[in-house]
């Protein structure tokens, strides 16, 4: 078994060596390519299996409605993970994300139909920081409503 790479080494996940975006090429206001992430009940069950979160609000419509939800809802961490993909796809290196946080503002309601729900995510460079890092602010909506608040990532660029 190979030991993990030390931080900052070329093979370390936190290494900016593979970042596609150069710090000098980015300005405050730079927009990241927006993306749409479809989510259906099957995807929620797959996520539940991977995460171990089998709370019935994420797969049982009757239970979700009995506890006051409009329908089955996506896992918050699933929504958070889909949103950060806009950043990781833009920078080209998931290890370049050095900090990420959100506030969950509304659930993503996932109806049991042929369409499910869609999470729409856009991002913009909000600040250039020290050490070749930038803060990216994300906007995530579903059904026309904001589902994540204060969604921010700090990313180390090349």
């Amino acid at each position: 078994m190979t030991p993990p790479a030390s931080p900052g080494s070329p093979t370390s996940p936190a290494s900016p060596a593979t970042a596609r975006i150069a710090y000098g090429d980015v300005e405050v206001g730079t927009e990241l390519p927006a993306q749409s992430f479809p989510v259906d009940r099957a995807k929620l069950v797959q996520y539940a299996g991977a995460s171990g979160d089998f709370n019935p609000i994420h797969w049982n419509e009757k239970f979700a409605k009995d506890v006051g939800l409009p329908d089955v809802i996506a896992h918050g961490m699933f929504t958070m993970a889909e949103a950060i993909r806009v950043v990781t796809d833009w920078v080209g290196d998931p290890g370049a994300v050095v900090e990420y946080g959100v506030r969950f503002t509304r659930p993503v309601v996932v109806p049991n139909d042929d369409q499910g729900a869609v999470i729409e995510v856009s991002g913009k460079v909000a600040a250039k920081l020290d050490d070749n890092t930038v803060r990216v602010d994300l906007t995530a909506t579903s059904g026309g409503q904001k589902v994540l608040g204060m969604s921010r990532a700090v990313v180390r660029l090349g």
Side-chain angles (χ1 to χ4, degrees), residues 103-124:
R103 289 202 178 159
F104 301 107
T105 57
R106 292 191 188 278
V108 174
V109 178
V110 183
N112 190 22
D113 60 17
D114 292 340
Q115 297 178 5
V118 177
I119 303 167
E120 303 281 348
V121 184
S122 61
K124 185 186 311 188

Side-chain angles (χ1 to χ4, degrees), residues 28-94:
V28 170
T30 298
E31 293 187 14
L32 283 62
Q35 294 188 50
S36 299
F37 302 100
V39 59
D40 58 18
R41 299 276 178 97
K43 199 170 275 187
L44 295 182
V45 171
Q46 291 169 339
Y47 181 82
S51 69
D53 181 353
F54 293 100
N55 187 323
I57 63 172
H58 303 303
W59 57 271
N60 184 316
E61 187 172 328
K62 181 181 180 327
F63 184 89
K65 289 181 176 182
D66 285 351
V67 299
L69 294 168
D71 208 330
V72 163
I73 63 170
H75 304 71
M77 296 301 285
F78 173 85
T79 304
M80 187 178 178
E82 292 291 73
I84 196 64
R85 288 176 55 192
V86 167
V87 175
T88 59
D89 288 353
W90 172 68
V91 75
D93 177 10

